[in-house]
Amino acid sequence: LAKTTQPISMDSYEGQEVNITCSHNNIATNDYITWYQQFPSQGPRFIIQGYKTKVTNEVASLFIPADRKSSTLSLPRVSLSDTAVYYCLVSLGGGYNKLIFGAGTRLAVHP
Amino acid sequence: EAGVTQFPSHSVIEKGQTVTLRCDPISGHDNLYWYRRVMGKEIKFLLHFVKESKQDESGMPNNRFLAERTGGTYSTLKVQPAELEDSGVYFCASSRALSGNTIYFGEGSWLTVV
């Protein structure tokens, strides 16, 4: 399973766009990239998933370059409620196999 | 559609006792996973069911942990006898049996062994 590397922490302010980049140099051909958000005392919450290029939903965008060795989660106009830990994960076949969690990125959004 | 449901949400037991955690996956999800986070550590994979069969149980820490999924619906994770180091939060997750499908997590069962 591909190992991921992402910043331990980030700080931002309300209304700003936040980009969190994750590297996964050993990603395999069939691996998907998935991002989760986790608040204290809650389970990880799915944000977005992609395989290549760009994916956008009502919450975020995910940018994946052609070599797929990295990905960037983009959160537009963050608010205080976006303060959480964000996990970047890669897994074989998306929903098929186990996810390997790292430490994640602790995002703190300030007023 | 109901999400992944876990019970109990919190449990405090004494060392040596038994605890059984239950997980109800999203309806129609053949894949069911158990994860846990112990204090100060990262979320770790425990095991993976496909319907009632154990697909991967490489993360189970020892034989004090027993997971079952009779009938391929809900699952239980029993810890017997519980030790202090078993304290943490146990997450259940589920997904459809198709490549590329999202894994959804429950809110977790918080276990404290005293």
Side-chain angles (χ1 to χ4, degrees):
Chain A
L1 293 170
K3 180 179 174 61
T4 61
T5 303
Q6 53 184 120
I8 293 296
S9 64
M10 294 182 69
D11 289 274
S12 184
Y13 293 90
E14 283 189 292
Q16 289 188 333
E17 177 184 78
V18 172
N19 296 308
I20 307 175
T21 297
C22 176
S23 66
H24 26 79
N25 292 317
N26 297 321
I27 190 167
T29 302
N30 294 329
D31 283 342
Y32 282 71
I33 300 156
T34 311
W35 286 80
Y36 287 84
Q37 174 193 56
Q38 188 177 30
F39 299 111
S41 303
Q42 293 186 21
R45 184 173 76 96
F46 171 81
I47 300 175
I48 198 165
Q49 180 176 279
Y51 182 79
K52 62 181 179 181
T53 62
K54 176 184 175 182
V55 180
T56 297
N57 61 24
E58 65 277 7
V59 177
S61 294
L62 178 60
F63 298 92
I64 306 170
D67 66 6
R68 304 200 326 123
K69 292 184 183 299
S70 67
S71 60
T72 299
L73 173 72
S74 181
L75 304 172
R77 298 179 299 281
V78 294
S79 63
L80 297 177
S81 62
D82 292 315
T83 294
V85 177
Y86 292 81
Y87 295 99
C88 163
L89 302 110
V90 296
S91 64
L92 177 63
Y96 238 179
N97 280 297
K98 63 187 179 186
L99 301 172
I100 306 298
F101 283 84
T105 296
R106 292 187 173 276
L107 173 65
V109 180
H110 306 281
Chain B
E1 179 181 74
V4 177
T5 307
Q6 295 187 241
F7 182 83
S9 59
H10 293 80
S11 181
V12 180
I13 63 172
E14 294 184 349
K15 176 182 172 181
Q17 289 186 322
T18 298
V19 64
T20 300
L21 311 177
R22 172 172 170 143
C23 169
D24 286 82
I26 294 172
S27 178
H29 283 194
D30 287 338
N31 289 306
L32 187 149
Y33 310 81
W34 284 98
Y35 290 78
R36 77 170 180 176
R37 169 188 274 151
V38 295
M39 184 64 70
K41 299 291 182 64
E42 297 165 358
I43 299 173
K44 295 291 187 184
F45 167 83
L46 296 179
L47 88 160
H48 169 205
F49 283 101
V50 177
K51 296 185 179 179
E52 66 275 9
S53 300
K54 292 177 183 176
Q55 183 77 8
D56 180 352
E57 52 184 327
S58 61
M60 294 289 266
N62 52 61
N63 59 11
R64 295 186 295 103
F65 290 75
L66 175 63
E68 295 180 321
R69 193 183 183 194
T70 306
T73 54
Y74 71 91
S75 174
T76 58
L77 179 64
K78 179 189 290 187
V79 185
Q80 178 182 30
E83 298 290 344
L84 299 179
E85 64 264 25
D86 300 331
S87 296
V89 57
Y90 291 77
F91 295 110
C92 178
S94 72
S95 68
R96 292 190 184 278
L98 295 174
S99 176
N101 271 277
T102 303
I103 297 176
Y104 295 95
F105 284 79
E107 294 301 326
S109 288
W110 299 77
L111 173 65
T112 302
V113 182
V114 296

